[in-house]
Amino acid sequence: ALVMYHIQNSGKKISMLVANNKGNFTKKAKGLITFTSNDGNLIEEMIHKAIETGEGQTFWMKSIGTDEAGDQVSEMEFQWSIKVK
């Protein structure tokens, strides 16, 4: 959703694809799990670079899952590929 949000805000037609992913589960997830990512600036940077150069960009983003107690239960990484249409 974060990548789609930044693509929409760019005002350009940009395709996106999850090219790869990896994950680590550190604790059994119980209850409500919240996933957060602090890579919003990276997305903006890669979209700007794709628009400037006309070339596709590939980058990794991290998402941390935490349970209701605030304990980390997972760490996921996604490799995104974007390209201006």
Side-chain angles (χ1 to χ4, degrees):
L2 190 58
V3 174
M4 292 185 326
Y5 170 79
H6 285 284
I7 287 173
Q8 186 176 19
N9 282 348
S10 76
K12 301 288 185 181
K13 288 190 175 199
I14 298 175
S15 62
M16 63 178 185
L17 173 70
V18 174
N20 201 344
N21 70 321
K22 49 188 169 181
N24 183 32
F25 300 92
T26 54
K27 183 179 175 182
K28 184 175 181 176
K30 294 182 182 178
L32 181 66
I33 307 302
T34 303
F35 295 91
T36 58
S37 177
N38 294 318
D39 292 332
N41 290 339
L42 175 62
I43 300 167
E44 288 180 353
E45 179 183 322
M46 292 294 106
I47 288 173
H48 181 71
K49 189 171 182 181
I51 293 168
E52 263 188 4
T53 66
E55 297 176 4
Q57 302 297 313
T58 303
F59 56 97
W60 284 90
M61 292 180 60
K62 185 184 296 186
S63 176
I64 303 294
T66 54
D67 62 16
E68 293 171 326
D71 296 327
Q72 181 175 325
V73 297
S74 68
E75 182 174 311
M76 308 293 287
E77 293 184 68
F78 299 91
Q79 183 184 38
W80 287 91
S81 176
I82 61 170
K83 185 175 182 178
V84 177
K85 293 182 181 183

